[in-house]
Amino acid sequence: MGPLTITRIRPVPPYDMRLSARGTAGGTRRWQGHVLLVALATEAGEARAAVRQRHDGELEVAVRAPDATAALDRLRFMLATGDDHAPFLRLARRDPRMAPVAIRHAGFRPARMGTVAHALVSAVCGQLVTGREAARMERAVVG
């Protein structure tokens, strides 16, 4: 799968990885204590990453991939670490209905699927079935 690369990613603040990377994404993400384990697809091949958020907000990343740069780029995209949503938060905090949510979930950024195909499978599997059944079908297809 490739050599191990250890690095850090500094997300645009505010960023809360635990709040943002909920769910298993069809078996491509899972939490092991405070560490998020992620399976990635890159042009160079399959990659795996282990990510932990430090108290200062920075992400410590260990990635094993044939092309670490491509895997880190994909991971940054999937975790939305470069998205600056501060303008939205400033606007939302002025709205009496949005302010409580914007304050409580300021670090939330929806984590993305790794590929368009993965997003499509997730959307199709989630239609008109229970959440448990959708997750089972998604894991079977993605696996």
Side-chain angles (χ1 to χ4, degrees):
M1 184 178 307
L4 181 67
T5 302
I6 298 174
T7 190
R8 290 186 181 173
I9 297 173
R10 183 176 299 280
V12 176
Y15 184 82
D16 184 333
M17 187 174 69
R18 173 120 357 233
L19 187 61
S20 299
R22 294 184 193 165
T24 64
T28 61
R29 279 195 309 257
R30 72 181 170 91
W31 285 94
Q32 190 171 46
H34 294 287
V35 176
L36 178 65
L37 303 175
V38 183
L40 308 153
T42 70
E43 295 285 330
E46 181 181 316
R48 302 254 187 246
V51 188
R52 181 180 78 86
Q53 187 164 20
R54 297 164 32 108
H55 293 292
D56 64 3
E58 207 170 54
L59 305 180
E60 291 180 335
V61 179
V63 65
R64 186 172 299 278
D67 180 350
T69 301
L72 288 167
D73 286 346
R74 174 66 61 186
L75 183 66
R76 284 185 190 95
F77 171 78
M78 289 174 67
L79 297 180
T81 60
D83 294 352
D84 183 3
H85 64 298
F88 167 77
L89 290 175
R90 281 193 298 275
L91 184 65
R93 286 180 179 145
R94 292 195 304 255
D95 182 290
R97 292 172 300 248
M98 292 287 295
V101 176
I103 291 166
R104 189 170 49 252
H105 298 293
F108 173 69
R109 306 217 195 115
R112 299 175 177 119
M113 299 296 182
T115 65
V116 173
H118 188 181
L120 180 62
V121 166
S122 181
V124 169
C125 289
Q127 298 302 308
L128 303 175
V129 296
T130 65
R132 180 171 284 138
E133 182 64 12
R136 186 197 63 74
M137 291 183 331
E138 188 177 347
R139 279 192 305 274
V141 172
V142 171

